[in-house]
C-alpha cells in the first residue's frame, strides 16, 4: 500500500460559477432544499464577486457571480455557461497538498495562500483539473470564522430551507474528450494518489445509438469518488459529446447527492418543479425478478421514476435530473444506498435511453 502523500479529509464544497448567483441561490433553496448560511459581496465590502454559501447536511455549494465583464468568473460563464468551476477538498495542509501534487506533474493555478482575519488563518491552494475545472485544497485547521475570510453569516427567511433530505456528495463525475480518459485516470493516480475503483467499457455502457467509457477514481481513504467519462464511437452523437460541445470543453457532468429517503426527497423536489428524466413503465415490469427483494414499494418508485440496481453488497436507488441550466451540461443524481457500492451499472442502458430521448428533443441525437 502506497503512503497517502495527499491526504484528503472530505469534499469541502463545490463552487459554481453562474450568471446570477442571487437567482441561483433561490433555485437551490426552493427546489433542492439548501439554506444560505454565508454571503460575500458588495454589502460585505467585497467588490468583484458575489458568493452565496448554500448548505444542506454535509453538502456545501458556493454560488459565485462576477460583477464585471472582465472578471474571470464572467469569462468562465460566457464560455461554459453556469456550472461547477471548483472542486474544493479539505486537507490537513494546503501547502503540502500543492507541493506534493505539483511535484508529481499537476499544474499549479493558485500557489499556497494564507488569509488572516479576526477568526484565524485560512489557507488554500489550487491545481488544474479537467478542462477549466480547478481542484482547490483548503486547510481550515487554524480558522474558526464563517466559511472563509470576507464571508458573513446569513439567516434570510427566503433562503432558509428545512431541506429535502440530501445529506452528502456521493460522487462527482467528469466528462473529458475522446481519448483523454486514460490521461485523467493517470493524473488522479500520479498526482493525488487515487486508485482505480471500477472500469466500465463501451460494451457495458452502450445503447443502440451511442456509447461511453468510464473509470472511477477514488482517494486513498475511499471517501471521494470521481468517475471520469469519455465518449465512445456509436451511430449517433453520444451524450458526452453533446456535453463537451455545449460546455465548450471538459467539466463536471453530474454530482450525485445522497439521501436516506429517496422517495421523500424526490417527492419534495418534484413538487417544487425539479425536472427528472422519465423512466418508462416497462422498466418496472419484473423489477423484483431482476434486482431481488427491496424495502420500497415498487408502485411508488414507478410513480416517481426511481431506478433500482443491485450488486454483491446490496442495492441502491437512483434518479437523475434534467440539466439544471439551458445548456445540456450539468445535472444531478439523487441516490440512496442500501449497501451497494456501485454506480447503477444495471441501469446504464435504461438511463442512457432516457437521456437520448431528451437529446432527440433538443435536436442533438444526430448521426455521426
Ligand atoms: Fe452517478
Amino acid at each position: 500500500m502506497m503512503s497517502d502523500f495527499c491526504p484528503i479529509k472530505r469534499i469541502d464544497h463545490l463552487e459554481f460559477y453562474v450568471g446570477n448567483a442571487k437567482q441561483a441561490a433561490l433555485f437551490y433553496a426552493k427546489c433542492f432544499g439548501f439554506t444560505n448560511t454565508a454571503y460575500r459581496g458588495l454589502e460585505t465590502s467585497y467588490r468583484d464577486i458575489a458568493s452565496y454559501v448554500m448548505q444542506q447536511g454535509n453538502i456545501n455549494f458556493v454560488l459565485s457571480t462576477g460583477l464585471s465583464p472582465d472578471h474571470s468568473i464572467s469569462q468562465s460563464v460566457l464560455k461554459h455557461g453556469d456550472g461547477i468551476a471548483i472542486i474544493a477538498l479539505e486537507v490537513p495542509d494546503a501547502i503540502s497538498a500543492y507541493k506534493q501534487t505539483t511535484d508529481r506533474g499537476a499544474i499549479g493555478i493558485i500557489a499556497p495562500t494564507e488569509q488572516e482575519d479576526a477568526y484565524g488563518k485560512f489557507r488554500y491552494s489550487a491545481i488544474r483539473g479537467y478542462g477549466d475545472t480547478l481542484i482547490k485544497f483548503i486547510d481550515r485547521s487554524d480558522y474558526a470564522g464563517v466559511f472563509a475570510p470576507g464571508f458573513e453569516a446569513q439567516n434570510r427567511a427566503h433562503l432558509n430551507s428545512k431541506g429535502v433530505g440530501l445529506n452528502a456528495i456521493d460522487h462527482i463525475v467528469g466528462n473529458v474528450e475522446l481519448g483523454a480518459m486514460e490521461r485523467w485516470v493517470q493524473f488522479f493516480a500520479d498526482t493525488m494518489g487515487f486508485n482505480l475503483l471500477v472500469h466500465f467499457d463501451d460494451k457495458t455502457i452502450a445503447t443502440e445509438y451511442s456509447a461511453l467509457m468510464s473509470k472511477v477514481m477514488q482517494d486513498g481513504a475511499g471517501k471521494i469518488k470521481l468517475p471520469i467519462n469519455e465518449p465512445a464511437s456509436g451511430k449517433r452523437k453520444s451524450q458526452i459529446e453533446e456535453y463537451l460541445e455545449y460546455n465548450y470543453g471538459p467539466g463536471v457532468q453530474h454530482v450525485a447527492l445522497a439521501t436516506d429517503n429517496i422517495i421523500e426527497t424526490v417527492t419534495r423536489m418534484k413538487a417544487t418543479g425539479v425536472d427528472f428524466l422519465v423512466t418508462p413503465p416497462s422498466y418496472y415490469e419484473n423489477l423484483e425478478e431482476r434486482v431481488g427483494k427491496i424495502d420500497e414499494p415498487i408502485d411508488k418508485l414507478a410513480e416517481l421514476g426511481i431506478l433500482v440496481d443491485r450488486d454483491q453488497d446490496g442495492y441502491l436507488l437512483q434518479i437523475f435530473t434534467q440539466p439544471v441550466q439551458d445548456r445540456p451540461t450539468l445535472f444531478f443524481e439523487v441516490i440512496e444506498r442500501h449497501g451497494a457500492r456501485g454506480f447503477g451499472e444495471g441501469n446504464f442502458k435504461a438511463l442512457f435511453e432516457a437521456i437520448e430521448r431528451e437529446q432527440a428533443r433538443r435536436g442533438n441525437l444526430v448521426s455521426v
Side-chain angles (χ1 to χ4, degrees), residues 32-259:
F32 278 72
F34 284 80
T35 289
N36 176 221
T37 56
Y39 168 80
R40 144 180 109 176
L42 293 174
E43 297 81 354
T44 73
S45 306
Y46 211 81
R47 306 305 299 172
D48 307 329
I49 312 173
S51 291
Y52 296 71
V53 179
M54 308 300 293
Q55 184 255 325
Q56 182 173 187
N58 295 316
I59 312 165
N60 290 301
F61 289 170
V62 179
L63 309 170
S64 294
T65 207
L67 300 179
S68 66
D70 52 344
H71 194 278
S72 60
I73 294 180
S74 308
Q75 297 292 321
S76 171
V77 171
L78 180 66
K79 181 177 175 188
H80 303 296
D82 289 8
I84 293 174
I86 300 175
I87 299 170
L89 306 172
E90 190 185 355
V91 297
D93 184 343
I95 300 168
S96 165
Y98 185 85
K99 181 165 175 16
Q100 294 289 343
T101 51
T102 53
D103 278 356
R104 289 171 168 80
I107 298 169
I109 299 294
I110 303 173
T113 303
E114 182 176 281
Q115 284 182 312
E116 190 168 1
D117 67 10
Y119 302 98
K121 293 184 176 115
F122 182 84
R123 287 181 284 267
Y124 61 95
S125 58
I127 57 171
R128 180 170 297 290
Y130 36 67
D132 290 330
T133 312
L134 295 191
I135 297 168
K136 195 168 179 179
F137 301 116
I138 291 184
D139 171 8
R140 305 183 167 280
S141 51
D142 292 323
Y143 192 70
V146 174
F147 192 69
F151 282 85
E152 286 181 7
Q154 293 293 310
N155 187 14
R156 286 189 271 193
H158 74 289
L159 293 179
N160 229 323
S161 173
K162 291 190 185 73
V164 297
L166 300 171
N167 55 40
I169 293 174
D170 188 274
H171 57 275
I172 303 164
V173 183
N175 283 343
V176 301
E177 309 94 323
L178 181 65
M181 177 179 71
E182 206 49 54
R183 181 159 61 82
W184 286 103
V185 163
Q186 218 52 55
F187 167 87
F188 285 106
D190 292 347
T191 71
M192 295 178 67
F194 279 37
N195 308 301
L196 178 65
L197 180 64
V198 54
H199 172 206
F200 306 109
D201 64 18
D202 51 349
K203 283 161 205 66
T204 328
I205 321 183
T207 65
E208 188 191 343
Y209 295 130
S210 67
L212 64 89
M213 294 193 285
S214 188
K215 285 190 173 181
V216 182
M217 299 305 287
Q218 156 173 282
D219 70 307
K223 283 183 275 190
I224 297 155
K225 295 177 181 70
L226 303 177
I228 302 161
N229 298 331
E230 75 170 25
S233 53
K235 285 187 211 162
R236 303 277 172 93
K237 182 189 287 182
S238 84
Q239 48 155 322
I240 310 302
E241 289 166 289
E242 188 194 36
Y243 174 99
L244 294 169
E245 187 174 302
Y246 283 88
N247 193 59
Y248 283 77
V252 175
Q253 177 211 36
H254 79 265
V255 178
L257 303 172
T259 171

Side-chain angles (χ1 to χ4, degrees), residues 171 173 254 256 318 320 333 343:
H171 57 275
V173 183
H254 79 265
Q318 63 185 169
F320 297 82
E333 172 181 353
F343 297 86

Side-chain angles (χ1 to χ4, degrees), residues 207 209-210 239 242 276-280 283 305 307 319-323 331 347-362 365:
T207 65
Y209 295 130
S210 67
Q239 48 155 322
E242 188 194 36
F276 289 90
L277 289 178
V278 174
T279 308
Y283 175 87
L307 306 169
I319 190 169
F320 297 82
T321 73
Q322 301 273 11
F331 59 88
N347 292 322
F348 283 170
K349 195 166 191 299
L351 168 65
F352 296 143
E353 284 169 354
I355 292 175
E356 283 170 9
R357 284 194 293 276
E358 298 302 325
Q359 244 181 294
R361 292 204 316 136
R362 295 190 284 261
L365 190 66

